[in-house]
Amino acid sequence: MALSMDAAKLSTIIVLNSSCAKKSFRLIGAVFIGARLDDTVRVMVTGLLLNYRDAVRSISCVHSLLGQGIQHVVVWDNSADGGTSAAAIAAVFVHDARVDLHVSVANLGFAAGVNRGLEHCHQRYPGAWVLLINNDARLLPGGLTKLVDALVANSNARIAYPDIDHAGRVLGPAYCHRLTGLLSWRARRGYFPYASGCCLLVAAERVALPLFDEDFFMYGEDWELGWRLAQLPGAMAYVHETLVEHDGSASSGLGSAFYESHMVAAHLILARKLARSWVETGVLLASRICMLVARGAIRSIRFRSLVPCKALWHGVRIASGRR
């Protein structure tokens, strides 16, 4: 894999010109050509995904991005497995200069890993938009065009996100209740919207780095990002179409001790982030604890396992900085 090539050659180039007033796009090879009003914009798009000991899914994800015409994909390897996973990925793309593989000596977690990857994209491909996608997800044909379309059409939007097929269940915008942390797939009073970190197109020049709050190791970083963006009108552009297929919890294991404990920690950390005063901190933490105890009991019954209940204490320790 070649690691030193001109950024303009490595990133998909999206060209918008003023030939007509109605917005339209067509794909010709790796070049997107479209028209919107009377402005002209050139945008580069680079792919970014994190790998954690799952080379097979990461390879499939990279192929799905390259198949969309993306000319450069950054793979940030968070495996901390002595380079085993990275070597498997490198073996497949050894002669493909479009794949840029970086190996972290330690598992930084999702938020920090993404932030390091975005910093790399910012430094090497200044001005490029970044398509962030889970390694266990695949971008469907035409997906990139429609996400770019959404960002171009909404100059205030910082990110664009689509509907995602989670193993047969199609999900779009999600909502988090500020007081209790309860999640919903419908807009409700007291809830703020957030976009799943599974697939986001990030307009780099419109956002400040770091994108995610690194106090979150795994889970919750997209909730916190949603809270920040919700304060900015029009900051999230939603594409109401299924553009991504996602296996879901492939690397963490839904219902595992890791998943349960880090989900508990994410809720407690988020409570501190959303609080505007010490009084609110106490109220939000108290409401979260009640919700999490109930959640643990329900999930223990559902899975016929004590893991969700046992994860409560471990999650508290993670949230307080004691792993």
Side-chain angles (χ1 to χ4, degrees):
M1 291 183 293
L3 298 180
S4 58
M5 294 183 69
D6 183 76
K9 297 178 181 178
L10 289 174
S11 300
T12 296
I13 299 177
I14 297 166
V15 182
L16 295 157
N17 53 50
S18 57
S19 59
C20 66
K22 184 179 179 180
K23 181 175 53 181
S24 62
F25 291 94
R26 63 187 185 277
L27 176 62
I28 304 177
V31 181
F32 291 79
I33 301 179
R36 178 177 181 270
L37 302 179
D38 59 352
D39 55 351
T40 300
V41 183
R42 290 178 62 87
V43 180
M44 296 184 297
V45 178
T46 297
L48 171 63
L49 62 117
L50 266 62
N51 174 67
Y52 180 75
R53 303 184 181 184
D54 194 353
V56 173
R57 284 190 174 91
S58 292
I59 291 168
S60 175
C61 180
V62 171
H63 281 308
S64 78
L65 298 183
L66 297 178
Q68 295 283 317
I70 288 183
Q71 293 284 303
H72 187 64
V73 179
V74 175
V75 179
W76 187 276
D77 183 60
N78 246 357
S79 301
D81 61 356
T84 301
S85 298
I89 296 172
V92 174
F93 300 107
V94 63
H95 299 302
D96 196 331
R98 297 173 297 177
V99 179
D100 185 353
L101 179 62
H102 291 260
V103 182
S104 174
V105 295
N107 179 7
L108 303 178
F110 183 80
V114 168
N115 287 343
R116 299 295 87 74
L118 287 172
E119 289 168 3
H120 171 76
C121 293
H122 177 70
Q123 293 168 3
R124 190 166 184 189
Y125 318 108
W129 288 357
V130 179
L131 181 72
L132 171 64
I133 187 168
N134 278 16
N135 75 310
D136 58 350
R138 291 162 300 283
L139 185 65
L140 299 178
L144 181 60
T145 310
K146 291 168 183 176
L147 288 170
V148 168
D149 188 349
L151 276 185
V152 171
N154 298 275
S155 59
N156 290 329
R158 274 67 168 177
I159 63 171
Y161 66 102
D163 285 335
I164 298 173
D165 183 342
H166 295 270
R169 185 184 182 192
V170 177
L171 301 173
Y175 303 86
C176 179
H177 191 244
R178 180 174 176 272
L179 179 61
T180 63
L182 291 173
L183 305 178
S184 173
W185 296 107
R186 290 192 301 167
R188 302 170 185 266
R189 185 175 181 179
Y191 285 71
F192 62 87
Y194 71 91
S196 168
C198 175
C199 181
L200 302 173
L201 179 61
V202 182
E205 78 280 8
R206 304 180 191 176
V207 300
L209 297 180
L211 180 68
F212 289 126
D213 188 322
E214 296 181 18
D215 285 346
F216 297 89
F217 182 81
M218 191 79 169
Y219 312 118
E221 67 288 321
D222 48 359
W223 307 336
E224 192 277 337
L225 176 63
W227 171 253
R228 279 187 281 131
L229 293 181
Q231 315 308 308
L232 306 171
M236 294 182 282
Y238 166 51
V239 179
H240 187 20
E241 187 172 344
T242 303
L243 304 181
V244 174
E245 291 180 343
H246 181 220
D247 294 339
S249 298
S251 58
S252 60
L254 183 63
S256 67
F258 178 92
Y259 173 87
E260 298 295 340
S261 59
H262 281 80
M263 188 61 74
V264 169
H267 276 288
L268 296 176
I269 294 171
L270 182 67
R272 297 200 303 264
K273 301 291 181 180
L274 301 187
R276 301 187 180 100
S277 67
W278 287 108
V279 173
E280 277 202 354
T281 299
V283 171
L284 292 182
L285 285 175
S287 66
R288 290 302 196 287
I289 290 172
C290 292
M291 182 273 291
L292 290 170
V293 170
R295 175 185 179 275
I298 292 171
R299 291 177 68 81
S300 287
I301 294 172
R302 178 187 301 171
F303 294 118
R304 297 182 180 181
S305 168
L306 291 176
V307 169
C309 285
K310 292 180 178 179
L312 290 170
W313 176 240
H314 190 201
V316 171
R317 289 178 59 84
I318 294 173
S320 60
R322 302 193 304 273
R323 293 178 181 275

